Amino acid sequence: MNPARRAVGTALAVVAVLSLAVTMRGGAASPGPLIDSITGAFGLGETAGGIVSALPGLCFGVVGILAVPIGRRLGLTGTILLAAALAAAGLLLRPLVGSYALFVMLSAVALAGPAIGNVLLPAWIKRHGGASTVLLMTIYTVMIAVSGGLGSLLAVPVADAGAGWRGSLLLWGLIALPGLLVWGLVLRRTGHDFPPRALLGDDDLDRGEGSLLRSPTAIALTVLFGLQSMNAYVQMGWLPRIYIDAGLAPAVAGALTALISGLGILGGLVMPSVAARTRRLRWIVLALGVITAAGYAGLLVAPHTLAVLWAVLLGIGGFTFSTAIALIPLRSGDPQVTARLSGMVQPVGYVLAAIGPMAVGLVHEARDDWRAVLVGLVVACLVMGAIGFRAAAPRLVDDELHG
């Protein structure tokens, strides 16, 4: 057994993964229910709110591409410690500034940590998890959904309890601090632990022989992941505002957004097994796109009276995320192709996803209602279902690369 794996130990590995995963989405989700208070404090409108809502996708895409080169220099654990430090610093400092430009910059710093974790934490688990690898991956995926739900759920109640929007956002900086100590301890035990090249697949966009751009399945998976992630960031950033404008209290809007994120826990537990076993996966992915479209259509016609039903539909539609992740190994054979495919699908998909929240802010500010936005989201989700139908077809990327 690798000495580094013995040095970490199961208990420390569990605590380390928990300490990072709990901040992976909470800090990104918490501004959504407070967006009016935040932009109002700086005297700005919805376009400014769209920038904050788009930041997760941009950071997860751009910084995610940089994670592997940084990891090669600092090691997996060293880079994840850097990620924890960036998240803590950004989350602690952004509520304290008086300039919106600084607020956006520090939000980007805070999101750089989860962006690096998205790419490197699964590789760290694979390298150090040993017999506990499945347990650690389960903790990781479930806690992402939990932290996203808590970010939306707690934002307004904490602010209303007397902390204000600044204190509510500051809470996630305090939650991030213990991770620095934990990962500092892990680093002392592991040292430089960058894995072999094949584990991370950093030649993800190789344009030479066997370029992934030659694979229709790889392209479809990337677009599917991008559209699904766009929905997630629109929901985190703008769905609370849609509910509030429909007449719901801000705390209720945050709770409904948390319900959508909470259903992602069920999707993470169920969909990987379903995807691996069913022969009707194409139809399931198509149905998830239609269900998501139905949730947005419901918000268009009856946002107040059936708000919980639409949240449930959007939450079930969010199962597309775990399905898309599961499709990466299912639609590739060789481990290096799997790694390259993951390296293309996630960073590029996140960049595509960032377009959605910005477009929502621009369209809503121009028209001053949510109808055009919701119609656009319905159409996008139907396209997502159609693209997912192609991405889930029983074909291997490996075969497409070799003609």
Side-chain angles (χ1 to χ4, degrees):
M1 180 180 289
N2 189 311
R5 293 182 181 177
R6 289 199 302 268
V8 174
T10 300
L12 181 57
V14 167
V15 174
V17 171
L18 272 173
S19 69
L20 188 66
V22 75
T23 62
M24 291 282 280
R25 294 292 184 274
S30 56
L34 303 168
I35 198 68
D36 282 348
S37 299
I38 295 170
T39 54
F42 294 108
L44 300 171
E46 280 138 1
T47 300
I51 293 173
V52 173
S53 300
L55 274 178
L58 285 172
C59 290
F60 288 177
V62 175
V63 181
I65 292 173
L66 300 175
V68 171
I70 298 172
R72 184 180 294 111
R73 176 176 290 272
L74 301 181
L76 285 179
T77 303
T79 306
I80 292 174
L81 175 59
L82 172 64
L86 289 172
L91 292 171
L92 285 169
L93 293 176
R94 74 174 178 179
L96 307 179
V97 299
S99 160
Y100 189 70
L102 281 176
F103 181 87
V104 171
M105 290 175 59
L106 289 168
S107 293
V109 171
L111 290 165
I116 293 171
N118 278 335
V119 176
L120 296 187
L121 190 57
W124 186 91
I125 291 172
K126 186 171 184 178
R127 186 157 179 78
H128 296 291
S132 302
T133 296
V134 173
L135 169 65
L136 294 172
M137 282 302 298
T138 301
I139 291 171
Y140 166 59
T141 54
V142 168
M143 286 307 301
I144 285 179
V146 170
S147 66
L150 289 176
S152 298
L153 183 64
L154 297 178
V156 174
V158 172
D160 289 347
W165 69 266
R166 294 182 186 273
S168 183
L169 296 184
L170 186 64
L171 171 66
W172 288 97
L174 300 176
I175 291 174
L177 283 176
L180 292 175
L181 300 176
V182 174
W183 282 97
L185 177 60
V186 174
L187 180 61
R188 292 185 62 185
R189 300 191 179 190
T190 62
H192 191 285
D193 55 350
F194 190 79
R197 188 181 183 91
L199 274 178
L200 293 176
D202 44 318
D203 293 329
D204 52 311
L205 293 178
D206 169 38
R207 297 180 181 275
E209 186 69 25
S211 169
L212 291 177
L213 298 178
R214 294 172 51 192
S215 166
T217 298
I219 294 172
L221 269 173
T222 302
V223 176
L224 173 65
F225 189 87
L227 288 173
Q228 190 285 323
S229 298
M230 179 201 73
N231 277 301
Y233 295 131
V234 167
Q235 290 164 11
M236 278 194 299
W238 289 112
L239 195 57
R241 173 67 184 276
I242 293 174
Y243 279 129
I244 291 168
D245 285 355
L248 297 172
V252 175
L256 289 170
T257 307
L259 172 62
I260 296 171
S261 298
L263 286 170
I265 299 172
L266 178 62
L269 293 172
V270 170
M271 290 312 298
S273 297
V274 171
R277 296 175 183 177
T278 183
R279 296 182 179 180
R280 300 181 180 274
L281 185 58
R282 288 182 294 175
W283 296 101
I284 292 175
V285 180
L286 177 61
L288 291 174
V290 173
I291 290 170
T292 311
Y296 287 126
L299 289 173
L300 187 63
V301 298
H304 189 284
T305 53
L306 296 173
V308 175
L309 174 60
W310 312 137
V312 170
L313 290 180
L314 292 173
I316 294 172
F319 287 14
T320 309
F321 171 76
S322 50
T323 306
I325 292 294
L327 279 170
I328 293 173
L330 287 175
R331 294 298 176 261
S332 55
D334 184 90
Q336 292 202 35
V337 174
T338 302
R340 291 175 59 212
L341 183 61
S342 179
M344 173 178 169
V345 167
Q346 294 198 61
V348 177
Y350 279 128
V351 171
L352 292 175
I355 298 172
M358 294 182 68
V360 168
L362 289 170
V363 171
H364 184 255
E365 189 165 28
R367 301 182 65 93
D368 199 28
D369 68 55
W370 294 107
R371 292 184 177 276
V373 168
L374 291 170
V375 169
L377 289 171
V378 169
V379 173
C381 290
L382 294 176
V383 172
M384 180 179 73
I387 293 291
F389 187 86
R390 172 59 185 86
R395 302 174 187 174
L396 290 179
V397 170
D398 311 50
D399 295 336
E400 294 174 344
L401 293 180
H402 296 91

